[in-house]
Amino acid sequence: MSHRFSEYRYQNGDLWVEQVRLKDLAQAYGTPLYVYSLSAIEGQIQRLQKGLAPLNHLICYAVKANSNINLLRKIVDNGCGLDLVSGGELFRAHRIKAPAEKIVFSGVGKTATEIKMALSYQGTGIKSLHVESVEEARLINQLASELKLQASICVRFNPNVDPKTHPYISTGLHSNKFGLNREEILDLAEEMKELKHLKWHGLSIHIGSQILELSPFEQAYLDVLKLAHDLRQKYSLPINCLDLGGGVGVPYRQGEVAPSIEDYTALICRLFEKEPFQILIEPGRNLVANSGVLLTRVLYRKPRPLKDFLVVDASMAELIRPCLYEAYHDVWPLEEKQTKNEMKQTDIVGPVCESSDFLAQNRDFPISLSQGDFVAVMSAGAYGFSMSGQFNSRPRVAEILVSSTQAQVIRRRETFDDLTREEML
Ligand SMILES: *Cc1c(COP(=O)(O)O)cnc(C)c1O
């Protein structure tokens, strides 16, 4: 149908992913149900690797986009490292034995416990703790001293670049909580004489998410490159690694133009090919968003004069992006014939007791869709399951990974018992 979804297409009247019919999965495993295509994820990784081949590079997948350990293992098996933001994510890395030298850890609020976990990961400690404040640098130094080791760090630079994305996912402005500005970083460089247990070997940036133009990236890359050279020359710091972060957007709607992986990697190669730095990138959404769908079943139609409500069995508890950022997701019926029927303005809403519980609003949607029919909420592979919860005491849903003709359950559906397991009477 569209190149946005390399592995999703209508065939003989039904929507398929790779060589599997989605209706068969909905019937076998129930709904709501997350389904991912391995081939779609591996395709994105291969395009990035091909584009960055001229550079000494490492792709560190941003685990928070979709943190299922089965997916993480496959992403690591494809040569990627991991970008983490919590001790829980470090535990996931440990569960799949992800190699220490390919792990970086970002985040403004790392606790002492998390820092110690990272410093002792696999005995050697991870490749880099990405420091986001002066106080954090001092704490890492102190903990490394107690553990009698050197902590390998990058410092996260906030380049004050406007990524022109939704304010809630913009991170590279001085008005955001992330990173340190140039003056703060130069002051930290002065203080390094006293921070003898820090091995400062790089800089990182990450200016936001779902960025649809390359120009903010270029500006931020030029700024971090200049700062890296200044730190090498004026402070003799052995900066040999630049982590350019993630944030490259993907098309969620038909006709939406996002940077191609080829243009994005060409920009990076143009700016860094002759530079003495290992280049890291931290893609999250770009690897997984359009690989996944959320399957859901129609429960009821509420006809209204101007706009119908279609109540489905998935909600903001399973996919919070529409509610949180008014994010747009295409919704496709699993039966192709529905797409040819008469349309009416429709809101697709969930069962949760919040008016913000919608998956799609004001869409032209087939009137023929009725109780028992299935639809696929498209582009749900990133920030879908990983942001899901149990609000309204809804057990978290199952996740399926499809590869060719095979479908594997990579997370079982939670039961009612799971809801109260940790509670005490
Ligand atoms: C969230 C995050 C990413 C990934 O962002 P995407 O938009 O999913 O590519 C990368 N790096 C850091 C530090 C992040 O917080």
Side-chain angles (χ1 to χ4, degrees):
M1 189 131 167
S2 148
H3 69 282
R4 276 180 297 166
F5 307 116
S6 57
E7 303 298 342
Y8 290 86
R9 74 204 170 281
Y10 286 110
Q11 185 177 302
N12 302 328
D14 288 312
L15 187 60
W16 291 64
V17 55
E18 301 195 30
Q19 310 306 318
V20 173
R21 195 162 63 152
L22 286 166
K23 197 188 342 174
D24 295 339
L25 297 179
Q27 280 164 349
Y29 301 104
T31 52
L33 184 71
Y34 273 103
V35 180
Y36 314 115
S37 155
L38 181 61
S39 166
I41 297 170
E42 290 183 334
Q44 293 298 90
I45 294 174
Q46 283 155 15
R47 287 170 71 195
L48 282 169
Q49 279 166 340
K50 185 159 174 255
L52 295 176
L55 303 178
N56 173 10
H57 74 272
L58 178 62
I59 299 167
C60 290
Y61 167 64
V63 169
K64 72 175 188 288
N66 187 327
S67 37
N68 186 290
I69 54 175
N70 189 295
L71 284 188
L72 296 186
R73 173 171 284 162
K74 283 170 177 123
I75 288 170
V76 167
D77 284 348
N78 275 272
C80 297
L82 302 176
D83 168 45
L84 315 176
V85 293
S86 73
E89 290 186 354
L90 189 60
F91 175 75
R92 289 178 181 277
H94 167 75
R95 280 291 313 275
I96 62 153
K97 302 187 174 67
E101 68 275 11
K102 290 187 174 180
I103 295 178
V104 300
F105 191 161
S106 313
V108 291
K110 303 178 199 76
T111 64
T113 307
E114 290 173 325
I115 292 167
K116 281 191 272 188
M117 277 173 75
L119 291 176
S120 48
Y121 183 85
Q122 290 181 346
T124 59
I126 62 170
K127 177 177 175 67
S128 173
L129 278 153
H130 286 1
V131 173
E132 301 217 19
S133 65
V134 175
E135 291 193 351
E136 183 191 346
R138 293 177 190 145
L139 177 61
I140 295 173
N141 182 65
Q142 180 201 324
L143 296 171
S145 156
E146 286 165 20
L147 294 168
K148 300 189 171 50
L149 47 79
Q150 292 291 106
S152 174
I153 65 159
C154 291
V155 172
R156 178 159 172 187
F157 172 44
N158 181 325
N160 198 28
V161 166
D162 184 355
K164 300 179 195 142
T165 183
H166 191 284
Y168 289 3
I169 50 176
S170 163
T171 55
L173 284 166
H174 285 171
S175 53
N176 301 129
K177 67 183 174 181
F178 298 97
L180 291 166
N181 64 35
R182 187 181 162 87
E183 291 66 42
E184 291 167 323
I185 289 177
L186 297 180
D187 287 348
L188 184 62
E190 294 283 354
E191 193 177 329
M192 277 301 283
K193 313 185 261 307
E194 284 125 60
L195 302 173
K196 295 197 180 349
H197 288 268
L198 297 187
K199 221 168 41 193
W200 181 352
H201 68 100
L203 291 171
S204 76
I205 51 171
H206 173 67
I207 59 172
S209 198
Q210 186 54 11
I211 299 169
L212 293 174
E213 291 172 37
L214 285 176
S215 54
F217 289 111
E218 176 158 12
Q219 189 55 53
Y221 295 170
L222 289 170
D223 290 351
V224 75
L225 183 59
K226 175 164 188 325
L227 181 59
H229 281 299
D230 289 349
L231 290 171
R232 280 160 71 103
Q233 280 150 20
K234 296 191 188 129
Y235 299 89
S236 302
L237 286 170
I239 305 292
N240 58 28
C241 168
L242 295 181
D243 183 337
L244 304 180
V248 179
V250 299
Y252 280 94
R253 9 178 141 217
Q254 183 73 37
E256 188 169 32
V257 182
S260 74
I261 288 187
E262 289 68 27
D263 288 349
Y264 167 66
T265 54
L267 167 68
I268 295 176
C269 289
R270 174 160 64 78
L271 297 185
F272 297 101
E273 205 158 12
K274 299 203 169 61
E275 298 289 343
F277 303 107
Q278 182 192 26
I279 298 299
L280 272 53
I281 59 168
E282 302 171 342
R285 188 189 309 275
N286 206 285
L287 292 196
V288 290
N290 282 337
S291 81
V293 296
L294 174 61
L295 299 185
T296 181
R297 185 166 52 92
V298 176
L299 298 175
Y300 307 104
R301 173 178 292 271
K302 294 178 73 169
R304 292 271 169 85
L306 294 178
K307 178 165 84 171
D308 284 5
F309 287 98
L310 205 57
V311 185
V312 298
D313 68 358
S315 72
M316 61 185 277
E318 290 73 44
L319 182 66
I320 203 175
R321 298 186 67 257
C323 157
L324 196 57
Y325 324 117
E326 296 179 67
Y328 178 99
H329 287 266
D330 257 352
V331 180
W332 290 7
L334 293 200
E335 287 181 0
E336 186 174 23
K337 68 171 193 285
Q338 302 267 11
T339 65
K340 310 209 159 74
N341 291 344
E342 191 192 339
M343 301 281 167
K344 184 174 181 192
Q345 277 270 297
T346 307
D347 279 9
I348 298 159
V349 301
V352 162
C353 307
E354 294 264 349
S355 289
S356 59
D357 179 28
F358 56 84
L359 298 172
Q361 283 183 304
N362 305 320
R363 301 288 173 84
D364 278 330
F365 217 60
I367 295 183
S368 53
L369 268 173
S370 57
Q371 283 185 19
D373 287 335
F374 296 111
V375 298
V377 183
M378 306 303 289
S379 312
Y383 306 105
F385 187 90
S386 67
M387 290 181 109
S388 73
Q390 297 173 328
F391 186 44
N392 276 220
S393 287
R394 297 170 62 85
R396 269 176 292 233
V397 306
E399 295 175 286
I400 306 283
L401 181 63
V402 167
S403 178
S404 182
T405 59
Q406 302 299 308
Q408 184 191 358
V409 180
I410 59 171
R411 193 180 209 276
R412 67 163 178 80
R413 188 177 297 280
E414 290 182 359
T415 63
F416 287 147
D417 274 333
D418 291 320
L419 294 175
T420 55
R421 190 174 306 285
E422 312 303 332
E423 296 173 20
M424 278 162 261
L425 271 180

